[in-house]
Amino acid sequence: MENREMFDEINALIGSIAKAFDIADGEVVSAIEQGDLGMEMSCGH
């Protein structure tokens, strides 16, 4: 995946999280930076 594609995917993910929690994109970014919001990949086991 090219850097630009990855940036677009991350941007879309941040937008989806903001919409789900009804908050601004900037608040999502802030929460990630402060360690208040984290995600990890899991195979579901």
Side-chain angles (χ1 to χ4, degrees):
M1 180 178 286
E2 292 182 28
N3 285 341
R4 181 64 190 170
E5 289 175 355
M6 189 181 314
F7 176 81
D8 290 343
E9 294 294 323
I10 292 169
N11 196 33
L13 179 59
I14 288 171
S16 295
I17 293 168
K19 184 175 180 179
F21 287 104
D22 196 26
I23 60 176
D25 291 2
E27 290 180 73
V28 174
V29 173
S30 241
I32 292 168
E33 290 175 342
Q34 295 173 21
D36 294 332
L37 176 64
M39 291 177 277
E40 65 181 54
M41 299 291 288
S42 173
C43 61
H45 290 96

